[in-house]
Amino acid sequence: PSAAFNLGNGQGFTNREIIETARRVTGCAIPVSEEGRRPGDPAALIASSEKAMEVLGWNPKHAAIEDIIGSAWNWHRTHPEGYRTNA
């Protein structure tokens, strides 16, 4: 049996939606370079956390893309060294 779990929220977002939302949430310009899809790139990838919910009783804390990016942004701003400590 597999012990791998996806932790998506079952919704899909385009790369453009992610970039635009990140720009709004962070207030940063975030430069991008748009290129065509590479051979073999899937049209869409959407992760379902159904298995994690059923097996682990896990539920996503943040479902909206603004909340997901905002939570990550706040963590990175308050932890510039990551989990590293100055001990």
Side-chain angles (χ1 to χ4, degrees), residues 1-70:
S2 172
F5 297 89
N6 284 318
L7 299 179
N9 68 355
Q11 295 178 323
F13 303 98
T14 67
N15 290 337
R16 285 188 184 122
E17 288 174 315
I18 298 297
I19 296 295
E20 289 305 318
T21 302
R23 286 174 174 156
R24 271 194 321 277
V25 168
T26 66
C28 297
I30 307 177
V32 298
S33 173
E34 292 193 37
E35 304 291 333
R37 185 179 297 159
R38 300 168 299 185
D41 280 352
L45 291 173
I46 301 173
S48 168
S49 55
E50 186 175 330
K51 180 179 175 185
M53 291 176 186
E54 290 175 4
V55 175
L56 304 174
W58 180 87
N59 284 298
K61 184 175 182 180
H62 305 285
I65 193 63
E66 291 84 2
D67 295 337
I68 294 167
I69 292 173

